[in-house]
Amino acid sequence: MNHKTNPPDLVQWVDPDIGAISHLLAATVQTVQMPHGMIRLAPNRPSSHPDPFLADHVTGFPLNIVSHRGERAFSIMAASGEGEPVFVSEMDHDFESASPHEFALLLEDAMIDVSYTVTEHTMIYRFAFTKPGRHLRFAAKAGGTVEVLPHEQAVRGREQINKLDCYFYAKADAPFASWKNAETKQDVSARVSFEAATIEVRIGFSYISCDQAKQNMEMELAGKTFARVSSEGRAAWNNALGRINVEGGTEKQRRIFYTALWRCHERQVNITENGRYFSGYDHRVHEGEKTPFYVDDWLWDTHRGLHPLRLIIDPNRERDILESYARMIAQNKDGWAPVFPLVFGNRAAMLGNHMAAVAADAYMKGVRGFDIETLYAGLRKNAIEGSRIPWYVGPATELDRVYLEKGFFPALAAGQKEWVPQVHGFERRQSVSVTLEHAYDDWCIAELARSLGKHDDAAMFAKRALNYRTLYNAATGVMAPRTADGEWVEPFDPGLSGGPGGRDYYAECNGLTWSWSVPHDVAGMMRLFGGRDAFLKRLDHFFNQPLGTSKWDFLGQFPDSTGLIGQFPMGNEPGFLIPYLYLYAGAPWRTQRRVREIMRFWFDDTPLGVCGDDDGGAMSAWYVFNAIGFYPLCPGRPVYGIGSPIFEKTRIQLGNGVFTIEARNVSAQNKYVQSAELNGQPLNKPWFEHRDLKNGGSLILNMGPRPNTQWGNRDEDAPPSL
């Protein structure tokens, strides 16, 4: 007799409040969403507040968060009482309930209970009034429309955000007592009044049309109660979170872990609506595509860990995301590969050509079924014809010609004024980071080219992958800026030079952090730094190195560099790999110690529990990987470095089986690997390959309280490098 067992209720461990207060920059959001769903909801709080989560009032609720850059489509808000209604209310977090699939709070001024839940393209808002004079206000931005359809008990609307049309259709479950339209400089709105004490509004959203929004609502909500939609949402999240099941650890660690894993499923979002989607890359509605269309990816952040994590737990979705990238390139009349592919189209943000890393990582790990040739053509175009200037997408400039001829992106001399119009006034040239990032991206393209039989390209890009060497200054021991004539910039302080965020020479972090950023050739970097012993001493010093100024002054200049341990900044992406560099120098036990202290000191289950910007799930993915005991060392190379898991057992559900990580005798003190077995065989090196896990298997780590300095300490045990 077969007994069907219910999956574990992992949603209970998710706390959307974690990270809701930022250390310095952007906080997380209490998002209600289906896994990768198009609809994302969270209360509208005053953006002018230093920490919106701490604001004591809400101004309404969106009908979609179009992008986590902050664009929110439309709004709905409730008010009650006699006289002119006020559609702003105080609220108290102690009268609030947040989960991945449902949210509820009390609007204290009018004593209205508000709750909402979602499907892929729709939402249900419920308003429970305790006073007479019951009103809902639907608003669109100035230039939009809001139309009341009283015979349908419905309201519909349209507005534009960044030239993207957004539509909604909202149907109430009670008749309208009255309605009134209004228009201000900020918005257009419709106020609808009711006699009923509880109102449910079922809302469809679309990027195609109001009719499509209505169809979305009718298809996804027909015959379903609020409770059923919420229950189905919880089941969907339990299924997504259930791809990784952990045993052991503390309740606090499970809350941090499953909240991080939840955030790894927010991006990217599938904007396909019943087999159709609007593309911001050619501004057309596409029909008949066999795979969904995914947008909203911050590639500079997510290529490091979020995409590699999805390759393990959801490879079919990652394949569809890669196919979406190929479509974006094909739909773009200029053929550029996007760098931040949002729903509006490509956003010129940050630096690098990191779609190359995502594509190479997937292809090297055996993912097929996407248009690799179109994807490769776009990546090649960016690398050959495109500019490397940060926060700019377009043809190469005179600065790029220096890079192609001399192997480095040129910096301005001290005191020299910028003359290249494409360079952003605040973001500057970031010359050293540009060189390092593109050297890595070019290596990724070389790996793809080699696999695709494009041997001339492979040789050219492999040569360019060594460009990082052009910026190593032996006199200072760091990757330092050079002017177009090859001179080192002087005066220069690797810890403090470069202005706000170091942006004259670096991206958001200083030269001491960026000098470690050669993921594809750590062995070559180690030789530049003087060999294994010098490399280890330098790494140890980095985690203890003074800031060179007061902490408040340092963070004032480098606000992204939060989560500090010495000079190491856990709060920003350039720091993510650094604890694992010990593996290359024969000291894996130091990696084990570092990642444990980082997880203990810089991740928590409170609103201050994320030590930097989550950046679309990038920070969360780092925690997920490290909590279960390994990390992708170099996307594009199918290799994982072993760290120090905090859970006794982890089961990763794969398409073809289960991969289990068992940490025997693990505890807070027992954080050091004494010995290991991989798929039944002794493992004497601190890394393994993707092929070792993709079809299922096991990694057994025998843990102890003191380092085993003999495990993984030989040169031949080091992870592969150039």
Side-chain angles (χ1 to χ4, degrees):
M1 183 175 180
N2 293 326
H3 295 278
K4 185 177 180 180
T5 58
N6 293 323
D9 183 27
L10 301 176
V11 170
Q12 66 178 308
W13 299 111
V14 176
D15 184 352
D17 290 358
I18 293 176
I21 303 173
S22 70
H23 283 248
L24 281 180
L25 298 176
T28 60
V29 179
Q30 301 164 299
T31 310
V32 173
Q33 176 189 10
M34 294 287 278
H36 303 281
M38 188 173 85
I39 299 301
R40 296 175 286 194
L41 304 180
N44 291 334
R45 309 183 197 274
S47 59
S48 59
H49 196 287
D51 277 295
F53 178 78
L54 295 178
D56 59 10
H57 61 287
V58 296
T59 59
F61 304 91
L63 303 191
N64 198 11
I65 299 175
V66 177
S67 164
H68 270 298
R69 288 182 59 220
E71 294 92 349
R72 295 180 176 220
F74 308 107
S75 70
I76 186 172
M77 185 55 173
S80 66
E82 302 301 331
E84 190 66 21
V86 178
F87 292 98
V88 176
S89 178
E90 288 196 354
M91 52 76 61
D92 183 338
H93 286 295
D94 289 333
F95 294 85
E96 175 186 276
S97 173
S99 72
H101 57 96
E102 183 180 337
F103 188 93
L105 59 71
L106 173 67
L107 299 179
E108 293 184 296
D109 292 355
M111 296 303 292
I112 302 170
D113 285 306
V114 182
S115 55
Y116 53 84
T117 187
V118 302
T119 66
E120 297 284 347
H121 307 94
T122 75
M123 66 216 79
I124 303 178
Y125 274 98
R126 176 191 286 163
F127 303 91
F129 297 84
T130 58
K131 299 179 181 179
R134 296 147 185 164
H135 314 282
L136 293 180
R137 181 180 187 266
F138 297 84
K141 294 176 176 62
T145 61
V146 178
E147 181 183 3
V148 179
L149 306 171
H151 298 298
E152 298 181 32
Q153 296 177 192
V155 180
R156 66 185 179 190
R158 180 195 64 82
E159 71 176 20
Q160 273 200 345
I161 302 177
N162 289 351
K163 300 181 180 180
L164 173 73
D165 287 325
C166 302
Y167 305 89
F168 80 89
Y169 180 91
K171 186 174 180 63
D173 67 346
F176 301 167
S178 64
W179 58 91
K180 179 181 178 181
N181 287 92
E183 184 172 352
T184 69
K185 291 182 179 180
Q186 289 75 40
D187 61 29
V188 296
S189 64
R191 188 180 81 204
V192 182
S193 301
F194 301 86
E195 297 293 339
T198 300
I199 309 297
E200 276 193 5
V201 185
R202 294 163 175 256
I203 306 172
F205 182 89
S206 176
Y207 294 119
I208 297 172
S209 67
C210 279
D211 288 341
Q212 183 65 55
K214 181 179 181 181
Q215 184 183 101
N216 291 344
M217 183 205 71
E218 292 172 341
M219 290 180 61
E220 296 184 16
L221 296 179
K224 293 184 179 180
T225 64
F226 185 103
R228 179 178 170 186
V229 172
S230 179
S231 177
E232 288 177 352
R234 191 179 191 97
W237 276 111
N238 276 323
N239 180 63
L241 298 173
R243 293 190 176 102
I244 304 181
N245 277 277
V246 298
E247 297 177 15
T250 65
E251 290 189 359
K252 174 179 177 177
Q253 288 170 333
R254 288 195 290 277
R255 275 194 297 274
I256 299 170
F257 177 81
Y258 278 111
T259 302
L261 184 58
W262 163 61
R263 293 204 181 278
C264 290
H265 288 80
E266 289 186 32
R267 312 279 185 92
Q268 291 148 256
V269 296
N270 173 9
I271 64 168
T272 307
E273 306 176 48
N274 192 27
R276 312 164 70 203
Y277 69 90
F278 174 83
S279 172
Y281 298 83
D282 63 0
H283 305 285
R284 291 178 48 234
V285 174
H286 294 258
E287 305 191 38
E289 302 282 5
K290 294 181 179 179
T291 56
F293 190 67
Y294 287 88
V295 294
D296 203 6
D297 191 12
W298 299 5
L299 279 161
W300 187 81
D301 310 281
T302 59
H303 81 273
R304 304 166 199 267
L306 182 60
H307 282 278
L309 179 64
R310 192 160 47 232
L311 270 172
I312 296 173
I313 63 176
D314 201 353
N316 290 336
R317 192 184 304 272
E318 186 70 5
R319 176 201 63 210
D320 291 347
I321 287 170
L322 289 158
E323 178 62 22
S324 297
Y325 292 157
R327 290 185 203 166
M328 294 172 196
I329 293 168
Q331 292 165 8
N332 185 336
K333 63 182 177 61
D334 296 319
W336 301 116
V339 291
F340 267 46
L342 305 183
V343 65
F344 320 107
N346 183 32
R347 182 187 180 211
M350 296 304 293
L351 63 157
N353 189 17
H354 292 313
M355 192 176 286
V358 177
D361 199 44
Y363 206 77
M364 296 305 131
K365 291 174 179 175
V367 176
R368 299 293 186 269
F370 61 96
D371 187 352
I372 184 61
E373 291 292 344
T374 296
L375 196 49
Y376 179 84
L379 297 172
R380 187 182 192 279
K381 181 180 176 69
N382 282 28
I384 299 295
E385 303 175 31
S387 178
R388 291 151 191 79
I389 293 174
W391 296 78
Y392 171 74
V393 173
T397 68
E398 60 184 280
L399 304 182
D400 302 288
R401 287 190 284 276
V402 174
Y403 178 86
L404 295 174
E405 293 170 7
K406 299 184 178 181
F408 61 87
F409 199 72
L412 290 171
Q416 189 177 20
K417 292 186 177 180
E418 184 59 72
W419 70 90
V420 178
Q422 293 88 347
V423 176
H424 193 283
F426 176 74
E427 295 296 343
R428 313 290 287 162
R429 293 190 181 187
Q430 304 179 21
S431 55
V432 177
S433 296
V434 166
T435 302
L436 296 174
E437 297 276 78
H438 281 278
Y440 165 61
D441 292 331
D442 286 345
W443 174 81
C444 291
I445 298 174
E447 292 295 289
L448 273 177
R450 187 176 296 112
S451 296
L452 296 172
K454 304 177 189 295
H455 302 297
D456 290 343
D457 276 8
M460 174 184 63
F461 285 112
K463 181 179 179 181
R464 283 169 43 167
L466 301 177
N467 282 345
Y468 74 90
R469 298 176 181 176
T470 65
L471 291 186
Y472 180 70
N473 186 343
T476 60
V478 299
M479 304 293 181
R482 301 175 72 173
T483 60
D485 60 7
E487 295 297 317
W488 299 110
V489 172
E490 293 290 349
F492 174 71
D493 180 336
L496 296 172
S497 285
R503 286 177 172 84
D504 284 342
Y505 315 128
Y506 303 100
E508 301 183 346
C509 296
N510 66 15
L512 296 173
T513 295
W514 272 101
S515 290
W516 303 104
S517 293
V518 189
H520 59 294
D521 191 17
V522 178
M525 176 175 58
M526 193 184 309
R527 289 191 293 271
L528 287 180
F529 289 177
R532 176 199 257 203
D533 291 342
F535 190 79
L536 283 174
K537 289 179 182 178
R538 179 168 176 163
L539 263 177
D540 280 340
H541 180 58
F542 181 68
F543 282 93
N544 294 278
Q545 191 167 355
L547 298 176
T549 186
S550 64
K551 189 174 182 180
W552 62 263
D553 198 29
F554 182 87
L555 289 173
Q557 181 181 356
F558 298 99
D560 295 271
S561 294
T562 49
L564 287 168
I565 301 177
Q567 287 276 353
F568 168 75
M570 184 60 234
N572 204 15
E573 284 76 9
F576 283 8
L577 178 63
I578 293 174
Y580 281 85
L581 296 179
Y582 286 109
L583 304 186
Y584 294 85
W589 69 268
R590 299 191 190 191
T591 290
Q592 296 153 26
R593 176 171 178 166
R594 295 296 184 202
V595 298
R596 278 294 194 94
E597 69 182 3
I598 292 166
M599 285 189 284
R600 178 185 176 191
F601 296 137
W602 281 119
F603 291 86
D604 205 350
D605 62 345
T606 70
L608 274 167
V610 179
C611 61
D613 295 359
D614 192 45
D615 284 328
M619 186 75 64
S620 292
W622 189 93
Y623 187 87
V624 168
F625 266 122
N626 280 274
I628 63 177
F630 63 97
Y631 187 73
L633 298 177
C634 177
R637 181 177 287 131
V639 168
Y640 304 101
I642 295 173
S644 180
I646 60 176
F647 299 112
E648 295 170 7
K649 183 174 286 188
T650 300
R651 293 181 178 87
I652 304 173
Q653 301 293 327
L654 308 167
N656 298 319
V658 177
F659 187 76
T660 302
I661 302 109
E662 185 178 351
R664 294 177 177 171
N665 301 315
V666 69
S667 68
Q669 293 182 331
N670 291 356
K671 56 194 166 195
Y672 298 107
V673 177
Q674 307 299 301
S675 62
E677 293 180 13
L678 178 65
N679 296 332
Q681 299 297 317
L683 179 68
N684 297 314
K685 58 189 182 184
W687 58 276
F688 60 97
E689 297 185 54
H690 184 74
R691 64 185 179 186
D692 297 321
L693 71 73
K694 72 175 184 178
N695 294 318
S698 66
L699 174 66
I700 297 174
L701 303 174
N702 297 300
M703 311 298 290
R706 303 305 309 152
N708 177 3
T709 59
Q710 301 306 305
W711 185 75
N713 72 341
R714 302 172 302 166
D715 288 340
E716 55 266 36
D717 295 333
S721 187
L722 291 182

